Structure formats: C-alpha cells, structure tokens
Amino acid sequence: MAFTETKTSTDQDAPAPVEKERLQRLLAQGERPAPPSAFASARTFAWRSMLKIKHVPEQLSDILVFPIIMLLMFTYLFGGAIAGGTGDYLQFLLPGIMVMSIVMTTIYTGMSVNIDINKGVSDRFRTLPIWRAAPMVGYLLADMFRYAAAGAIMFGTGMVMGYRPEGGAVGVLLGVGLLLVFCFAFSWIWTWLGLITRSEKTVMSISMSILFPMTFLSNIMVDPSTMPGWLQPVVKNTPISQLVDGVRGLFDGDVSSAAIATTLIWSAGFIVVFGFLTLRAYNRK
C-alpha cells in the first residue's frame, strides 16, 4: 500500500507528456550562451595553473633559489679567473646567466602538461566547448609569471652585487621583454614533449639533455672569441647566443638589431613548428 501511494505521488509530481514537450520547446527556442572566446579560455586555464602555485608554493623554489645560487656561484667562483675581477665579470655575466636560468625553467611547462595527461584531466578539457589550444596556451601564460619573477629576482640580486645597466630602465625592460617572448615560444617544444612522452621524468631527462649543451655551448659565460676558431661560428649562431646578444645589448645600451631580429625569427619558428606539433599531438591523444 505504501508502495502504491508513493508511486501515485510520484506520478502526480511528474509533468504530463504535453508539458514535457512544451518545456523542451521553450528550451530549444531559448538563446544559448555564446562560447567563450579564445583569450577568455586561455586566461581561465592560466589562472588554473596559477592556483597550483598558490596551493603548492614549493613550486616557486626554483625561481627563488636557483637563479641566485647560479649568479653568486659563477660571479665569485669564476669571475676572477675569467675576467680578472668579479665586478667586470658581473657586468658581462648577469644578462647571460639570467637567460640561462629562465630558459631552464621552461621545462616545467612540459612536465605540467604530462602530469595532466597521465591523470586524465586533459580528457575532460577536450570535451569542453572551448578553443582546443586553450589548455596549452594557458600553461604558457601562467609560466610567464615564473619567468618574470625569476628575472626580477636575478636582476635585483645583481644590482645589490654591483651590476649597473648602461641601457637604463628602458633597456632593461626591453631586454626582459625579448627574453619572455623567446621563452614563451621555446616552451612549445616542451609542451609537445610532454604530450608524446610517458612520464614527467622522461620529459625532465630529455629536456635537460637538450638544454645543457644549448646553454653551455653559447656566449653566456665567456666571449666566443676566446674559443677555437672552428667552434666560434657554431657558438655565435645558436638561438641561445643570439638571445644573449640581444638581451646583453639592450641592457648595456649597445643594441644589436641583428641579434634581436634573429631571436624573433627563432621565436616565430618555434611557435609555428612546435605549436602545430603540440596541437596535433593533443588532438590525437
């Protein structure tokens, strides 16, 4: 009896077939909200990545500690041997070591992508009515904060140690801007790597195998003119060396237009090639 009453009550509460059709017709005629723009979608995913830093502040240790250690170590351990004094060497080293430290932090983009892929989070992202590239661009936009913070910390430490930029505030801002553009473009390599590799450890291993030769085979720490003749053309024309020349020139007030243009060309190439490979791998994952 109780079951019968419950069933009758449920039947009375349920809308009649005619009412169902009317509700469905009203919903069909209603205006659906417009899908979010590409920028809004990317901004949302960037904020998601920023919240990760908020809840796991240890992620900032690499931009708070590593750059300062690198600057202090190379200046005071090798400055006297390389340049005859730490003061002169600091003027030469700081733009280069800033490039080295920030470029090395770009690998965390690929690691974050790989973690989300392995946890299945990206499967949910692909079902959303958003710009398909929004999650990838969001990772990169959030990491721009990491790059800018690392640059500010290194530059502030260098100023305390005695570094003085001849290019003034404008030169410094332009140099940092050039560095951020390059790192944004360069990070697309690691997003692609994060999509095609099986674990974040693999991303770390491969990326470090690429980054160490690229950063040390450059003009970050020494002038290429001191190297063997056969090695000089190779070192001078790497993407990292061109970036260092551009940033160093802007900092020192001796702008190298060729280095800046070459860096921008490299950046555009990284975005076009690895951006395409990233989206292709992401759609097929």
Side-chain angles (χ1 to χ4, degrees):
M1 188 59 141
F3 173 78
T4 304
E5 290 177 354
T6 304
K7 181 179 180 182
T8 302
S9 175
T10 303
D11 290 342
Q12 290 176 352
D13 293 338
V18 177
E19 182 65 14
K20 283 185 179 180
E21 293 179 3
R22 189 180 72 84
L23 291 175
Q24 292 175 354
R25 189 165 54 253
L26 289 174
L27 289 175
Q29 292 175 354
E31 294 185 3
R32 296 178 180 273
S37 65
F39 175 74
S41 300
R43 183 182 58 192
T44 300
F45 281 98
W47 181 243
R48 171 181 175 268
S49 297
M50 293 292 292
L51 289 177
K52 288 184 179 181
I53 298 176
K54 175 184 175 182
H55 295 293
V56 189
E58 301 85 53
Q59 293 183 12
L60 292 178
S61 62
D62 60 310
I63 66 173
L64 296 174
V65 179
F66 179 72
I68 296 176
I69 292 177
M70 293 287 287
L71 182 61
L72 293 173
M73 181 176 66
F74 282 101
T75 300
Y76 292 117
L77 290 182
F78 305 117
I82 295 176
T86 57
D88 292 338
Y89 189 56
L90 178 63
Q91 293 295 126
F92 175 84
L93 176 68
L94 187 132
I97 206 71
M98 183 183 293
V99 169
M100 179 179 179
S101 299
I102 297 177
V103 166
M104 282 189 168
T105 63
T106 59
I107 63 175
Y108 290 100
T109 304
M111 295 174 65
S112 298
V113 171
N114 187 268
I115 290 172
D116 280 349
I117 289 291
N118 290 331
K119 287 184 176 180
V121 178
S122 295
D123 294 335
R124 172 57 178 159
F125 295 160
R126 280 192 287 267
T127 65
L128 299 175
I130 58 174
W131 181 39
R132 295 303 296 269
M136 301 295 107
V137 176
Y139 289 120
L140 299 177
L141 291 178
D143 283 339
M144 294 289 280
F145 166 77
R146 298 166 65 95
Y147 308 151
I153 290 170
M154 290 201 69
F155 185 79
T157 304
M159 291 290 288
V160 172
M161 294 169 61
Y163 177 78
R164 296 295 180 266
E166 297 294 332
V170 175
V172 171
L173 291 175
L174 291 175
V176 172
L178 181 65
L179 176 56
L180 293 180
V181 169
F182 180 87
C183 288
F184 176 84
F186 196 63
S187 295
W188 282 102
I189 299 176
W190 314 131
T191 58
W192 173 65
L193 193 63
L195 288 169
I196 65 173
T197 52
R198 295 185 177 181
S199 68
E200 58 179 304
K201 293 182 179 179
T202 305
V203 177
M204 172 70 78
S205 176
I206 296 176
S207 59
M208 294 306 290
S209 299
I210 296 172
L211 279 176
F212 265 103
M214 284 188 68
T215 52
F216 283 96
L217 195 67
S218 68
N219 57 355
I220 288 176
M221 300 174 191
V222 295
D223 190 336
S225 61
T226 62
M227 301 177 185
W230 59 269
L231 186 59
Q232 292 181 23
V234 177
V235 172
K236 290 180 179 179
N237 293 287
T238 63
I240 299 298
S241 290
Q242 293 296 311
L243 174 61
V244 172
D245 280 340
V247 174
R248 186 174 283 148
L250 289 167
F251 278 24
D252 294 342
D254 184 18
V255 180
S256 175
S257 300
I260 294 174
T262 303
T263 299
L264 294 176
I265 292 172
W266 274 110
S267 300
F270 288 140
I271 292 175
V272 171
V273 175
F274 290 98
F276 169 77
L277 292 176
T278 295
L279 296 181
R280 183 181 181 186
Y282 183 69
N283 290 330
R284 293 184 173 183
K285 196 70 178 176

